[in-house]
Amino acid sequence: MDNFNCKYCGSNQFKKTKIGQECLYCHAVYENDNGSNELFITNHKSQKINKIFLFIVGLIIFISITAFVFSNLTDFNSHKNKVTSSSTSSYKNTTSNSSSTDIIKNNYDDNLLKNPDHSVKVAELSLVQSEIDLARASVKKYGGDDTKKFEKLLDEAQKEHDEQIKNRVVTPPKPDMIIDNPDSEFSITTYYREGGSLLAYNGDYNQYTSQDIINLWGQPDEIITDSNKIEKSLSIDFGENKHPNNYETKVLQEQWKGGKITWRELRSFILQVNDSAYGTYSKEFVYESQGKPNVYFENDNVSYVTPILRYVYFPRLPEKYPKEGLGKYPDDFPSNYGMDGYYHEK
């Protein structure tokens, strides 16, 4: 299939099957009578990650811990004369001898632990340390017969995380490139959606100021400060025949069609762009005529940048779970998703 890219992942690697050509990357099947090579990106209006929910959960946990500590401190002060130097050691020993269930309850909401398969996949895909720790707690409590399998996957994820941290890029590969902030929490740029859960991780470039960008890429074609114009510019917008109406959409389409970004990376960027309405962007540097990324700022620090890989570096991994976590839920795919786990173009 020369000069043809898979609609779903951008790959140009295929193998022949009895009914047609199968993408080696995402396993989409193109039947023999299919002659279309049009790229299609679903203009999916994803829901914003429920940051408020996570904040509330975190606040509740924080308040609970604070109340617990305060209560113990009150008891401690009221019985000072009975406290000896062995009390601290005794408390530590009691903690270490507590059941794993009690420890888990003190750290995580039980609803976050009930799906170890989900937690392990997220940990593997994102390599965020907090996700790996959460997955271990989930496996310890709910892993059941799959505990050893899950633990092995998490050990591999931890090893990969540590290796990535050790080799993390701290200087740009090229003088005119920007890199993910080495001081931010490490994560792979990826996307995960399954069974009502929606997670996305993107690079963080807030170490760069507007002057840094000008030093790297020169003066922009235009500087926009009108919030309505910025929101319109930073959006996924298709016209007739799926023709991109703005620079962000055009770039994402071209990067995906050329096989330069994976399906998960594409969806992660789309999610961030769709969430732009919630941003407080103060200005935009437009570099469209120069073929460079547009840059969006909050308080003069970079908040989002058009992901042109010639100029933008972010942590990446080869795709994992090409079907699992992707092919189970048709709402995340076009309507021609088949019961056999494949896509069929007709």
Side-chain angles (χ1 to χ4, degrees), residues 69-83:
V69 172
F70 180 80
S71 175
N72 278 274
L73 284 175
T74 302
D75 292 339
F76 175 81
N77 289 330
S78 64
H79 299 284
K80 262 198 233 183
N81 57 327
K82 297 182 180 180
V83 177

Side-chain angles (χ1 to χ4, degrees), residues 2 26 39 58 61 66 82 244 257 264 288:
D2 296 334
C26 70
L39 174 72
I61 293 174
T66 302
K82 297 182 180 180
K257 186 175 182 179
R264 289 187 189 276
E288 296 180 17

Side-chain angles (χ1 to χ4, degrees), residues 245-263:
N245 279 340
N246 63 9
Y247 192 60
E248 299 301 327
T249 309
K250 176 184 176 184
V251 167
L252 285 174
Q253 188 183 60
E254 290 177 346
Q255 297 282 288
W256 185 36
K257 186 175 182 179
K260 294 180 180 179
I261 59 177
T262 70
W263 187 90

Side-chain angles (χ1 to χ4, degrees), residues 242-309:
K242 301 301 178 183
H243 181 76
N245 279 340
N246 63 9
Y247 192 60
E248 299 301 327
T249 309
K250 176 184 176 184
V251 167
L252 285 174
Q253 188 183 60
E254 290 177 346
Q255 297 282 288
W256 185 36
K257 186 175 182 179
K260 294 180 180 179
I261 59 177
T262 70
W263 187 90
R264 289 187 189 276
E265 290 167 347
L266 172 71
R267 292 302 290 266
S268 182
F269 290 128
I270 288 177
L271 185 64
Q272 187 167 356
V273 169
N274 281 337
D275 284 347
S276 64
Y278 299 90
T280 55
Y281 300 104
S282 56
K283 61 184 172 184
E284 173 191 357
F285 281 4
V286 179
Y287 285 99
E288 296 180 17
S289 68
Q290 303 178 43
K292 300 172 184 176
N294 287 345
V295 187
Y296 302 82
F297 298 88
E298 290 185 60
N299 300 322
D300 203 48
N301 292 98
V302 174
S303 179
Y304 181 79
V305 56
T306 310
I308 301 177
L309 270 64

Side-chain angles (χ1 to χ4, degrees), residues 18-206:
K18 292 182 179 180
I19 62 173
Q21 299 281 348
E22 178 182 341
C23 175
L24 293 177
Y25 184 80
C26 70
H27 306 285
V29 175
Y30 296 82
E31 298 183 4
N32 289 322
D33 61 350
N34 174 48
S36 172
N37 62 355
E38 175 192 2
L39 174 72
F40 175 79
I41 296 179
T42 303
N43 186 10
H44 176 69
K45 293 295 183 181
S46 62
Q47 297 180 351
K48 182 175 177 62
I49 300 175
N50 199 338
K51 296 180 180 177
I52 297 176
F53 172 77
L54 294 177
F55 173 79
I56 292 173
V57 170
L59 184 61
I60 292 173
I61 293 174
F62 175 79
I63 293 173
S64 300
I65 293 174
T66 302
F68 175 81
V69 172
F70 180 80
S71 175
N72 278 274
L73 284 175
T74 302
D75 292 339
F76 175 81
N77 289 330
S78 64
H79 299 284
K80 262 198 233 183
N81 57 327
K82 297 182 180 180
V83 177
T84 67
S85 59
S86 64
S87 296
T88 302
S89 298
S90 174
Y91 174 75
K92 287 182 178 178
N93 289 334
T94 300
T95 302
S96 63
N97 292 331
S98 297
S99 69
S100 59
T101 301
D102 292 337
I103 295 173
I104 289 173
K105 284 182 178 179
N106 287 336
N107 288 285
Y108 300 104
D109 185 280
D110 195 59
N111 289 327
L112 297 175
L113 303 176
K114 289 183 177 179
N115 191 342
D117 180 64
H118 158 84
S119 298
V120 170
K121 286 178 182 176
V122 172
E124 286 187 286
L125 290 167
S126 68
L127 295 187
V128 174
Q129 186 61 58
S130 59
E131 298 290 3
I132 296 175
D133 295 340
L134 171 62
R136 288 196 184 281
S138 177
V139 169
K140 180 177 289 187
K141 187 171 183 181
Y142 291 107
D145 294 338
D146 293 324
T147 296
K148 289 186 177 180
K149 179 186 75 173
F150 287 147
E151 287 179 343
K152 181 179 179 181
L153 293 174
L154 289 175
D155 287 343
E156 293 173 354
Q158 186 68 64
K159 181 179 178 181
E160 181 68 33
H161 169 273
D162 296 343
E163 189 69 21
Q164 291 279 346
I165 291 290
K166 179 181 177 181
N167 298 321
R168 190 170 190 178
V169 172
V170 294
T171 57
K174 296 181 180 180
D176 58 348
M177 290 183 70
I178 65 173
I179 62 171
D180 179 58
N181 191 343
D183 295 325
S184 65
E185 182 177 6
F186 179 82
S187 70
I188 298 298
T189 295
T190 192
Y191 167 95
Y192 179 89
R193 179 179 178 182
E194 186 176 64
S197 173
L198 179 62
L199 296 168
Y201 295 90
N202 296 89
D204 184 0
Y205 304 97
N206 61 2

